[in-house]
Amino acid sequence: MRYYFASDHAAFDLKAAMLDMLKQQGHDVVDLGPYDTSSVDYPDYADKLAQALSADPQAQGIAMCGTGIGISIALNRHKHIRAALCHDVTGARLTRAHNDANVLVMGARLIGAETAKDVVTAFIEVAFEGGRHQRRVDKLS
Ligand code: RB5
């Protein structure tokens, strides 16, 4: 599994911490930016991530902004994206199991790094359950 990361300036440090964690675990990670803390617009980075997942549909995304809300809205305007804003492990687990979410979103101003690590770990470890959930996911698009 390849993981594409995108954020805005508000989540630059949290993105770096999550990238480090997955890299150290040997995962294939791609940082779509930003690459410093200069102010940027989250829709631009949502679009970069949506394009990456369009070209590489088996991969997953991890996205962040200050609240996670703006980048979630932007991501979910793309039909192939199921972006889930999660700040707890249960939500991260269930959005993979039930929604087949292909992007995890977090708000860097709302979550600490240790909790975020647990949320990312839950998201990447849990598989989609399919079955009745597949029918519902199909209806999303
Ligand atoms: C940037 O200041 C902030 O508005 C953005 O990171 C995000 O929280 C928007 O939803």
Side-chain angles (χ1 to χ4, degrees):
M1 181 68 72
R2 180 173 299 117
Y3 299 99
Y4 290 93
F5 281 73
S7 75
D8 71 357
H9 54 284
F12 178 79
D13 290 339
L14 187 65
K15 174 165 64 69
M18 298 303 107
L19 271 162
D20 273 358
M21 180 182 80
L22 291 195
K23 261 190 223 163
Q24 279 176 24
Q25 293 172 353
H27 293 290
D28 181 1
V29 296
V30 179
D31 184 4
L32 299 173
Y35 305 114
D36 60 41
T37 55
S38 308
S39 183
V40 294
D41 299 332
Y42 57 80
D44 297 336
Y45 288 86
D47 288 349
K48 283 177 198 270
L49 179 52
Q51 281 169 19
L53 292 179
S54 177
D56 189 2
Q58 301 309 315
Q60 293 182 342
I62 300 179
M64 299 157 217
C65 65
T67 59
I69 296 170
I71 203 163
S72 294
I73 294 169
L75 283 162
N76 280 313
R77 292 189 172 198
H78 297 269
K79 274 199 163 184
H80 63 292
I81 300 292
R82 293 177 302 283
L85 177 58
C86 300
H87 290 133
D88 62 83
V89 166
T90 306
R93 175 173 61 78
L94 288 174
T95 200
R96 283 291 309 126
H98 291 184
N99 313 126
D100 198 18
N102 58 358
V103 181
L104 169 67
V105 187
M106 296 180 292
R109 291 173 177 158
L110 305 181
I111 191 169
E114 288 306 310
T115 304
K117 285 180 185 173
D118 292 344
V119 168
V120 169
T121 300
F123 187 85
I124 69 174
E125 284 183 350
V126 175
F128 180 47
E129 286 178 8
R132 69 189 187 282
H133 301 297
Q134 184 65 60
R135 183 180 70 243
R136 295 161 185 164
V137 169
D138 289 345
K139 287 184 179 184
L140 291 173
S141 50

